[in-house]
Amino acid sequence: MPNDRDFAEQPRIEPLWRERLRQYWALVRGDRPIGWLLLLWPTWWGLWIAAKGMPPLWPLLVFSLGVWLTRSAGCVINDYADRWLDPNVERTKQRPLATGAVSGQEALAVFAVLMLVAFALVLTLNRLTVWMSVVGVLLAASYPYLKRYTYLPQVYLGMAFGWGIPMGFAALTGEVPPVAWVLYVANIFWATAYDTWYAMVDRDDDLRMGAKSTAILFGDMDLVAQGVLYTCMFAALALVGRDAGLGVYYWGGLGVALLLVAYQFGIARGRERAACFRAFLHNHWVGMAVFVGIAVDFAMRGTAVAA
């Protein structure tokens, strides 16, 4: 006769719907928020500068949700494009598409749903923002294929990840002024730098498989190139501060961000995989420091005017 122990030792069967949701959550990197945060901070930079302070609630909600949706969609299409590569890379071989837990057709369906929801949100904004969102979709969908043909996919990632900056200005002001494009360029330098740390983690695997990246392009000069990229980022952010009339709190935020970047070079100077990955993750704090400087500067300015 079966006893309680027999029933207790039976393997627990996961419902099919729950198992699929778990695989889709892993596919969109729901358990890894770093990509969402790296996309969120520059979008908020743009929204706060465009609004000269706290932006209206609805555009803030649209762009914040849109960041999560488009980043998730970007992860899906990236894995779909990298089906030939990911099973052979140590860091990515357990991803759902690489293991076969999710099919290519499923991935495309998830990508389509995410982008349609994001587009529905954008439709609540003005016409210029809607048209610009089409460019954003093209950037996000085409980025993953560049690593087969060019050593600069990290630059293109910066273009895709920063597109929320000019879109935010378009949504709040009805135009995209020069300061928005300077901020956009600053983000391109920043994204190229932090994604180069990321690419340095996979450099050996990418070389073996014939994939391309800035880490491979820079070679032994990678740390020097990183220094140039971050210098260009801070130079562009300095121009933004001047053109937007930002004050001491903004410059203080840039100072903190500069110290955080110096720390990245300290931990990744030996180019070990784990250290480079830590340097990549650390950029979340860089983006936050810049945002806090912007937000506090406008908040204190408003407080001074009210007084």
Side-chain angles (χ1 to χ4, degrees):
M1 293 291 292
N3 54 40
D4 291 342
R5 178 176 293 182
D6 293 328
F7 286 111
E9 292 177 354
Q10 293 296 320
R12 188 172 183 178
I13 300 175
E14 185 178 29
L16 179 61
W17 66 267
R18 185 177 296 173
E19 187 274 336
R20 299 321 296 158
L21 285 179
R22 181 170 56 81
Q23 295 294 346
Y24 295 156
W25 187 247
L27 180 67
V28 303
R29 312 284 201 280
D31 56 337
R32 297 174 182 266
I34 182 63
W36 173 67
L37 291 168
L38 290 174
L39 183 53
L40 181 70
W41 294 126
T43 302
W44 279 12
W45 299 348
L47 288 173
W48 255 257
I49 293 175
K52 294 182 171 56
M54 178 76 177
L57 183 58
W58 180 247
L60 177 61
L61 182 63
V62 168
F63 277 91
S64 299
L65 289 175
V67 160
W68 190 90
L69 290 164
T70 54
R71 180 262 179 169
S72 298
C75 290
V76 174
I77 201 65
N78 181 77
D79 288 4
Y80 180 82
D82 284 354
R83 300 190 311 284
W84 63 282
L85 176 64
D86 283 351
N88 302 289
V89 175
E90 182 66 27
R91 183 180 53 80
T92 61
K93 64 183 183 182
Q94 296 302 320
R95 288 177 177 175
L97 269 170
T99 63
V102 173
S103 70
Q105 287 185 332
E106 285 179 289
L108 290 177
V110 171
F111 172 78
V113 169
L114 291 168
M115 293 307 294
L116 285 172
V117 174
F119 188 63
L121 288 171
V122 172
L123 287 175
T124 66
L125 304 175
N126 61 37
R127 183 174 299 180
L128 176 59
T129 311
V130 172
W131 281 113
M132 292 185 71
S133 73
V134 176
V135 178
V137 171
L138 294 176
L139 288 170
S142 56
Y143 154 71
Y145 295 92
L146 266 71
K147 65 186 69 175
R148 301 187 189 186
Y149 308 110
T150 174
Y151 287 100
L152 300 174
Q154 283 69 33
V155 177
Y156 202 77
L157 176 75
M159 295 169 62
F161 264 32
W163 195 244
I165 293 172
M167 280 184 63
F169 276 86
L172 295 183
T173 69
E175 60 180 1
V176 186
V179 69
W181 294 115
V182 177
L183 188 61
Y184 179 60
V185 170
N187 180 75
I188 292 174
F189 284 123
W190 181 44
T192 304
Y194 67 63
D195 205 46
T196 297
W197 290 131
Y198 197 63
M200 288 168 69
V201 178
D202 297 334
R203 180 156 45 192
D204 293 340
D205 292 325
D206 287 344
L207 281 168
R208 178 168 49 84
M209 292 302 299
K212 297 177 172 63
S213 71
T214 48
I216 294 172
L217 176 65
F218 297 151
D220 292 339
M221 296 294 290
D222 48 10
L223 296 181
V224 174
Q226 288 288 73
V228 172
L229 288 169
Y230 277 112
T231 298
C232 291
M233 166 201 169
F234 282 108
L237 288 175
L239 291 175
V240 169
R242 184 199 66 183
D243 293 347
L246 293 166
V248 64
Y249 297 101
Y250 174 73
W251 298 106
L254 289 193
V256 172
L258 182 60
L259 292 175
L260 292 170
V261 168
Y263 174 73
Q264 293 174 25
F265 280 88
I267 62 176
R269 64 185 182 278
R271 301 179 176 87
E272 295 90 353
R273 285 192 178 201
C276 290
F277 190 64
R278 284 174 58 205
F280 161 72
L281 295 174
H282 195 258
N283 278 275
H284 155 58
W285 301 106
V286 175
M288 178 188 287
V290 176
F291 169 71
V292 170
I294 294 170
V296 171
D297 201 83
F298 280 117
M300 295 306 293
R301 188 183 308 179
T303 302
V305 171

